[in-house]
Amino acid sequence: MPKISFSPNISSHVDVGDCDVEGDTVRSVLDSVFAFSPRLRGYLLDDNGITRKHIAVIVNSKPVEDRDELSDPVSERDEIFVMQALSGG
Amino acid sequence: MSHQIRVGTRKGFFTFEREGAGWRQASSDFLGVPVPMFHQDKRDGAIYVAAEHEHFGTKLHRMREGESEWVELDPPVYPEKPDDAPVILDPWRKVEVPWSLKKVWSLESGGADRPGVLWCGTIPGGLFKSADHGESWELVRSLWDRSERAKWSGGGYDFPGIHSICVHPENSDIISVGVSCGGVWRTCDGGLSWEQSAHGMRYDFVPEEQGGADPESQDPHRIVQCQGDPKRFWSQHHCFIYRSDDEGKSWREFSEVAPSAFGFAVAVHPQEPDTAWFVPAKKDEHRYPVDGKFVVTRTRDGGESFEALDEGLPSDLAYDLVYRHALSVDDTGNCLVMGSTTGSLWVSEDQGDSWSKLTSHLPPVYCVAFSR
């Protein structure tokens, strides 16, 4: 199963750690995590299910192509990392 | 007399407490996170804080009276736009107004006879209702679905927003909401139906034949209602000061106000409807104290005259701006608290005659209130 992990900043707000979950796209992997951590959804996606502007998703060290829908395919051995993008002021 | 002050800022939520003859900072919460709005429910003492995480969106937190920990609640969430709902564009930028929460901009209790009912105004213009102390929220479609919303536009933000919610103190079904920029909307049936009521407001820089007095596009920066005389409203509008004597259904203009009739904040005495306070600024895109002289203006005669108050405020040049939720009066009508964009916080305990500075080192202040 794909592996997904989260930056400490995210984990400081929502109790979620590294996990191996089902899914063949970035979005379906995230949906698997949301199933047991529903509050995480609102931290990463907006009301419309679109990735928040300042959330970055990386698969095997490369930013995903489809930022909005997260339809990028993933395979059994892929590693997904979710973090806050650089921003602020 | 109030003994606690709450302050929402660009970088957190702060509490000040009375200590002897002065005040001291007692606590800080959500440090580093913008807090555009908070609300203490006078019915049960619970405090609600909107924490607007720049990465993770807006979250809502509640601390009940007697508790010491914040509980995270689900924030208001817009439903998915139905396919048959019209696409509404911002009238100036022609950008679609999203069905998505951008900012919690107002929070109010739903009336003494409606325990647990809360109202929440948001950007991009949705009003939400909770019947369970903020545990869940529902978009008020009766207002959101009004076709006139196509005339609403953003003021200082990209999209329109509801910044003021006035629940009639004697009838919880009568509610007026202020929209920047969308006028004043009023319901008499608890939100089942709504009517525009910004009649009498106008822009001085838009000819009337070009829509300058169209109520649907007015920008009442803030509206407040006198609790002891609910017929009386005051509004600090984008161009002028306005007063209503008929529960906010029509408005009388006050334009000759020195040093300026422009500003954002207004507070009304809870028992004396003729007494109200404003914080003027140079209109309208400049937004700093006129000639760098920072004052509060007060009327005690219903707007027939205004006096500029400056005792205890900066005697040197100052460039503080006070946002629409950053001036508040307590339940006695004697104490005022005011916070500025440059991080200053002042208190007056004599109805504005004199002011004391608590600090000038806060982050930019968004909202203030005395806590019970």
Side-chain angles (χ1 to χ4, degrees):
Chain A
M1 287 187 285
K3 179 179 181 180
I4 186 165
S5 55
F6 302 89
S7 66
N9 190 312
I10 295 171
S11 300
S12 70
H13 294 290
V14 183
D15 186 16
V16 62
D18 299 359
C19 47
D20 299 322
V21 290
E22 298 282 353
D24 57 6
T25 65
V26 172
R27 179 56 190 263
S28 61
V29 169
L30 272 175
D31 284 339
S32 297
V33 182
F34 296 156
F36 61 82
S37 182
R39 196 173 295 284
L40 179 66
R41 179 189 170 89
Y43 277 77
L44 306 185
L45 310 180
D46 69 12
D47 305 28
N48 303 138
I50 304 297
T51 310
R52 290 193 181 278
K53 181 179 178 182
H54 297 299
I55 292 294
V57 183
I58 295 168
V59 179
N60 302 334
S61 80
K62 291 183 179 175
V64 294
E65 295 294 327
D66 179 10
R67 260 195 56 79
D68 286 349
E69 304 290 342
L70 300 174
S71 63
D72 295 43
V74 292
S75 61
E76 291 280 307
R77 299 167 70 175
D78 283 339
E79 295 189 3
I80 303 169
F81 183 62
V82 185
M83 65 179 189
Q84 75 279 16
L86 297 178
S87 68
Chain B
M1 185 178 285
S2 301
H3 295 279
Q4 211 169 43
I5 292 169
R6 309 279 191 178
V7 186
T9 77
R10 174 76 176 77
K11 295 284 183 183
F13 181 65
F14 300 86
T15 299
F16 290 77
E17 291 182 348
R18 191 182 293 277
E19 186 175 72
W23 296 80
R24 67 173 181 87
Q25 183 181 320
S27 62
S28 59
D29 296 278
F30 310 104
L31 269 179
V33 181
V35 175
M37 183 47 56
F38 68 89
H39 174 63
Q40 180 160 34
D41 193 330
K42 292 178 181 174
R43 300 168 300 183
D44 58 17
I47 299 175
Y48 299 82
V49 168
E52 189 179 291
H53 296 265
E54 288 171 298
H55 296 91
F56 309 124
T58 290
K59 311 302 169 195
L60 193 62
H61 302 265
R62 180 186 65 207
M63 187 189 292
R64 288 193 153 127
E65 195 163 61
E67 296 179 346
S68 57
E69 299 289 331
W70 296 99
V71 173
E72 185 176 337
L73 308 172
D74 288 332
V77 173
Y78 282 72
E80 185 177 356
K81 178 181 170 297
D83 290 339
D84 59 351
V87 171
I88 288 186
L89 305 179
D90 176 275
W92 306 112
R93 298 184 299 123
K94 302 301 179 190
V95 174
E96 182 175 352
V97 178
W99 291 49
S100 181
L101 179 67
K102 300 301 179 188
K103 183 180 290 293
V104 166
W105 217 16
S106 47
L107 279 168
E108 291 294 342
S109 303
D113 58 339
R114 308 283 162 86
V117 171
L118 297 169
W119 298 94
C120 177
T122 70
I123 294 174
L127 178 69
F128 287 80
K129 180 182 181 181
S130 172
D132 53 10
H133 304 272
E135 297 280 345
S136 63
W137 297 89
E138 186 173 2
L139 177 65
V140 178
R141 293 292 296 269
S142 54
L143 183 58
W144 181 249
D145 290 344
R146 291 291 297 238
S147 60
E148 296 93 332
R149 193 165 61 82
K151 287 188 170 182
W152 297 10
S153 64
Y157 292 102
D158 285 346
F159 298 107
I162 295 175
H163 48 66
S164 301
I165 303 170
C166 302
V167 178
H168 196 297
E170 297 163 6
N171 184 342
S172 303
D173 282 338
I174 301 176
I175 301 164
S176 298
V177 300
V179 186
S180 287
C181 308
V184 180
W185 286 80
R186 185 169 186 268
T187 178
C188 293
D189 52 19
L192 297 177
S193 63
W194 297 84
E195 284 188 11
Q196 174 62 255
S197 66
H199 305 291
M201 293 183 176
R202 70 181 178 97
Y203 293 105
D204 60 351
F205 56 88
V206 183
E208 193 165 335
E209 60 273 22
Q210 296 289 347
D214 182 355
E216 312 293 355
S217 62
Q218 293 302 309
D219 185 6
H221 285 171
R222 180 91 168 110
I223 63 170
V224 292
Q225 183 175 24
C226 179
Q227 294 299 292
D229 185 354
K231 296 188 301 300
R232 173 63 58 80
F233 278 69
W234 287 94
S235 176
Q236 174 62 72
H237 177 273
H238 188 83
C239 291
F240 305 112
I241 287 169
Y242 287 93
R243 178 185 118 188
S244 172
D245 297 336
D246 57 6
E247 295 189 354
K249 288 181 277 192
S250 65
W251 300 83
R252 174 185 166 188
E253 179 178 302
F254 297 91
S255 57
E256 301 302 317
V257 182
S260 170
F262 177 90
F264 288 93
V266 52
V268 60
H269 192 291
Q271 286 91 38
E272 298 172 13
D274 285 346
T275 298
W277 298 265
F278 306 82
V279 190
K282 182 177 171 62
K283 73 170 187 178
D284 57 357
E285 73 274 26
H286 297 292
R287 306 178 181 194
Y288 62 87
V290 177
D291 298 328
K293 176 60 179 169
F294 183 68
V295 300
V296 171
T297 48
R298 178 180 64 194
T299 179
R300 288 188 180 280
D301 52 15
E304 299 306 320
S305 65
F306 291 83
E307 53 188 325
L309 310 169
D310 63 1
E311 185 179 332
L313 298 177
S315 54
D316 295 331
L317 292 171
Y319 301 95
D320 300 72
L321 180 69
V322 174
Y323 284 148
R324 68 195 78 214
H325 301 117
L327 170 70
S328 186
V329 62
D330 77 350
D331 290 340
T332 71
N334 293 321
C335 297
L336 292 141
V337 57
M338 173 173 67
S340 79
T341 51
T342 52
S344 291
L345 187 70
W346 293 276
V347 168
S348 171
E349 304 197 43
D350 52 14
Q351 300 196 358
D353 285 340
S354 64
W355 297 82
S356 301
K357 186 173 70 178
L358 274 56
T359 175
S360 54
H361 300 291
L362 285 173
V365 174
Y366 292 148
C367 44
V368 300
F370 289 98
S371 189
R372 71 176 192 175

